[in-house]
Amino acid sequence: ELVLRALTDEPVAIRTFGKSPFVKTGNGLRYSLFDDSAFDTDIGEAHRDQCLAMFAALDLPLSTPVRLKSGAYSLADLLSESLGGFNFDQREIAWSAMAFARYVPPQTEWTNRVGARMNFSELVQKLLRTDLNAQKCAGIHVFEALILIGKADRKNPLLDEETRAQLNSHFKSTVGEIIRRQREDGSWSRSWCAAINDDSAPMTPFQMSFLVTGHLAEVLEKLEPPLRPPKSVLLSAARWTTNAMNGTEIRPNGFWVCPFTHAAHGAHSVLTGANR
């Protein structure tokens, strides 16, 4: 609750971060990107629409207030800016796609601020063509975005028949690769699927295994039950992750916030699901 307030209430955000992360636009509202020179700031989202995707994962309604000193806004203003500024060539689209999967249906298409019309079938095709080697977190968030769009499509048809068939085929082949590539101890390396063919990374082998295994345990639980790997695969990953979280390699510094959060949530999702 305190973290949510820091992301949706500007005075609290300033007390927490030292400055405001909000940027008002002609289409609504967005957060600054901490590594984008256009914003001239050292705070902000690590990935475009990361906060909006998190709000979607929490199932927060678009009416959720966002309070700025200059006026009252809501998550709808964040979505409006995201849709208005979206294009398929932006640096990362996975987090925007995850947010759209929750907040745009039952609409199947949208128009950005320059008048370009886009739809979910085109979004899926773009995600399927994305080079995972060039993506953060070993490309697993691209797979996650596809999963969430697939789930949304089953509730309200969003995709054309050809794209739906391609997506289902992708799920089956990728899950098969994930099962085959799992190590005996339950972990995965960076090469968690055939699309990853570059093992070079600025991380130690343990750091990469921890990052990938935690992310996969979390994301695979989001698949519909018929598409998930056997429970033994997920349990093995959750046990490895749980043991690794207690390892001496983990340090209390900023690097570990992302991998540790995904690992903890992934292990919890799998283990509590196993007890249901």
Side-chain angles (χ1 to χ4, degrees):
E1 185 177 350
L2 290 174
V3 173
L4 184 59
R5 286 188 62 202
L7 296 174
T8 57
D9 189 305
E10 189 172 39
V12 177
I14 294 172
R15 291 198 300 271
T16 303
F17 306 121
K19 61 187 74 173
S20 175
F22 297 101
V23 179
K24 290 184 288 184
T25 73
N27 285 83
L29 193 67
R30 65 175 299 180
Y31 296 92
S32 58
L33 285 167
F34 85 94
D35 62 348
D36 190 330
S37 59
F39 293 99
D40 190 27
T41 183
D42 57 355
I43 69 162
E45 297 182 306
H47 313 284
R48 183 170 179 173
D49 288 332
Q50 185 177 19
C51 291
L52 189 60
M54 183 199 71
F55 299 149
L58 293 172
D59 208 25
L60 298 180
L62 288 174
S63 59
T64 301
V66 178
R67 298 181 179 87
L68 270 62
K69 291 188 290 184
S70 60
Y73 294 83
S74 70
L75 298 192
D77 294 295
L78 292 170
L79 178 64
S80 176
E81 164 57 22
S82 179
L83 291 170
F86 184 80
N87 69 81
F88 291 125
D89 295 323
Q90 68 189 44
R91 185 172 63 177
E92 293 178 313
I93 65 170
W95 285 266
S96 301
M98 287 187 271
F100 294 174
R102 165 63 177 83
Y103 288 130
V104 174
Q107 292 177 234
T108 62
E109 60 181 26
W110 62 93
T111 304
N112 68 11
R113 64 168 61 98
V114 297
R117 295 179 69 84
M118 290 167 277
N119 59 55
F120 278 104
S121 291
E122 293 172 328
L123 180 55
V124 166
Q125 294 291 344
K126 174 64 176 180
L127 289 165
L128 289 173
R129 294 192 304 270
T130 298
D131 179 8
L132 301 188
N133 294 282
Q135 298 294 303
K136 302 288 183 62
C137 303
I140 297 172
H141 289 292
V142 173
F143 186 47
E144 179 181 15
L146 289 168
I147 290 172
L148 295 180
I149 294 173
K151 293 180 74 171
D153 178 60
R154 279 183 281 278
K155 292 181 180 178
N156 296 285
L158 305 173
L159 307 174
D160 59 54
E161 291 296 333
E162 181 180 356
T163 300
R164 183 178 296 118
Q166 286 180 280
L167 184 57
N168 288 331
S169 176
H170 177 75
F171 288 148
K172 292 176 183 177
S173 62
T174 302
V175 169
E177 292 167 8
I178 290 171
I179 294 171
R180 290 191 296 274
R181 289 166 181 255
Q182 187 178 37
R183 295 161 166 166
E184 289 187 8
D185 62 6
S187 68
W188 284 276
S189 70
R190 175 176 164 80
S191 299
W192 59 275
C193 71
I196 300 287
N197 50 44
D198 178 8
D199 280 330
S200 62
M203 295 185 188
T204 67
F206 172 78
Q207 289 172 337
M208 181 55 71
S209 291
F210 189 78
L211 176 81
V212 170
T213 306
H215 275 70
L216 282 179
E218 180 182 45
V219 169
L220 290 170
E221 269 288 303
K222 297 180 181 182
L223 280 165
E224 297 290 346
L227 295 172
R228 287 180 201 160
K231 181 59 73 173
S232 60
V233 171
L234 297 174
L235 285 174
S236 181
R239 289 173 184 138
W240 182 91
T241 302
T242 302
N243 290 332
M245 283 192 292
N246 294 312
T248 57
E249 296 91 339
I250 306 294
R251 297 286 186 269
N253 60 47
F255 166 82
W256 289 101
V257 172
C258 168
F260 197 93
T261 301
H262 286 287
H265 185 237
H268 179 265
S269 298
V270 171
L271 294 174
T272 55
N275 294 329
R276 285 196 294 268

